[in-house]
């Protein structure tokens, strides 16, 4: 027995590449149609954004357009301000080669993603913070 697994890795650039490849492989079909082609889908970080868009039935071309649009991308990828960073993140900023701590503000990323998906008319309801936490902890 074989399984088809779609694994979407993290990173903004990787997410853009992944959405482009999905479009090349399957055409510009709705996200649900792409997801039906797999037995399991897993995602991390930027790949999770692609998966969220697919789950909201977004076509790959729309996902690519969001990542290429600086204004929409900025709503999702909101860098932490200096005072929002923990001590390890501040030390990391001194040594660029070490990946310690978060680069982006989680709550602003969530709000930006909801706003972008709503603007694209792919989310019909406002997700509450509790719903979001519940759904992402599984």
């Amino acid at each position: 027995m074989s399984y088809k697994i779609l694994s979407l890795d993290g990173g903004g650039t990787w997410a853009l590449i992944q959405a482009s490849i999905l479009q090349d492989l399957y055409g510009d079909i709705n996200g649900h149609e792409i997801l039906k082609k797999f037995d399991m889908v897993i995602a991390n970080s930027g790949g999770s954004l692609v998966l969220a868009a697919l789950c909201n039935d977004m076509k790959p071309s729309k996902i690519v357009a969001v990542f290429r649009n600086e204004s929409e991308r900025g709503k999702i990828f909101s860098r932490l301000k200096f005072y929002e960073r923990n001590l390890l993140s501040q030390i990391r900023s001194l040594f660029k080669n070490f990946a310690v701590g978060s680069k982006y503000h989680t709550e602003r990323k969530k709000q930006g993603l909801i706003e972008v998906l709503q603007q694209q008319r792919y989310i019909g309801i406002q997700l509450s913070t509790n719903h979001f936490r519940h759904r992402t902890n599984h």
Side-chain angles (χ1 to χ4, degrees):
M1 178 180 283
S2 65
Y3 294 96
K4 288 184 82 174
I5 300 171
L6 175 62
S7 176
L8 301 168
D9 199 4
T13 304
W14 281 115
L16 174 62
I17 292 168
Q18 291 163 0
S20 297
I21 289 173
L22 287 171
Q23 184 176 2
D24 288 346
L25 290 174
Y26 301 106
D28 203 26
I29 61 176
N30 290 337
H32 291 172
E33 293 304 312
I34 291 173
L35 294 174
K36 285 179 185 177
K37 298 180 181 299
F38 297 93
D39 298 303
M40 180 188 298
V41 181
I42 57 172
N44 178 46
S45 192
S48 296
L49 301 177
V50 173
L51 180 56
L54 292 172
C55 287
N56 282 285
D57 213 23
M58 234 170 146
K59 293 181 177 184
S61 64
K62 290 285 190 182
I63 300 169
V64 168
V66 167
F67 278 99
R68 288 191 173 158
N69 182 309
E70 188 174 341
S71 172
E72 290 185 344
R73 189 175 62 242
K75 292 174 188 174
I76 298 169
F77 295 103
S78 173
R79 286 197 178 269
L80 289 171
K81 309 263 189 278
F82 184 78
Y83 61 85
E84 294 173 323
R85 297 179 187 177
N86 62 33
L87 181 59
L88 288 176
S89 293
Q90 292 175 23
I91 293 170
R92 178 185 60 107
S93 69
L94 299 173
F95 305 98
K96 300 275 185 203
N97 293 332
F98 297 103
V100 178
S102 179
K103 254 192 331 192
Y104 301 105
H105 192 280
T106 303
E107 185 64 24
R108 285 194 303 260
K109 183 186 279 188
K110 180 195 85 163
Q111 289 302 327
L113 180 61
I114 290 170
E115 183 179 334
V116 166
L117 291 175
Q118 283 178 334
Q119 285 174 354
Q120 297 292 328
R121 302 185 193 279
Y122 287 98
I123 286 185
I125 59 169
Q126 175 71 32
L127 298 177
S128 71
T129 302
N130 289 335
H131 176 78
F132 184 79
R133 285 187 187 136
H134 172 73
R135 301 297 290 167
T136 57
N137 286 338
H138 295 323

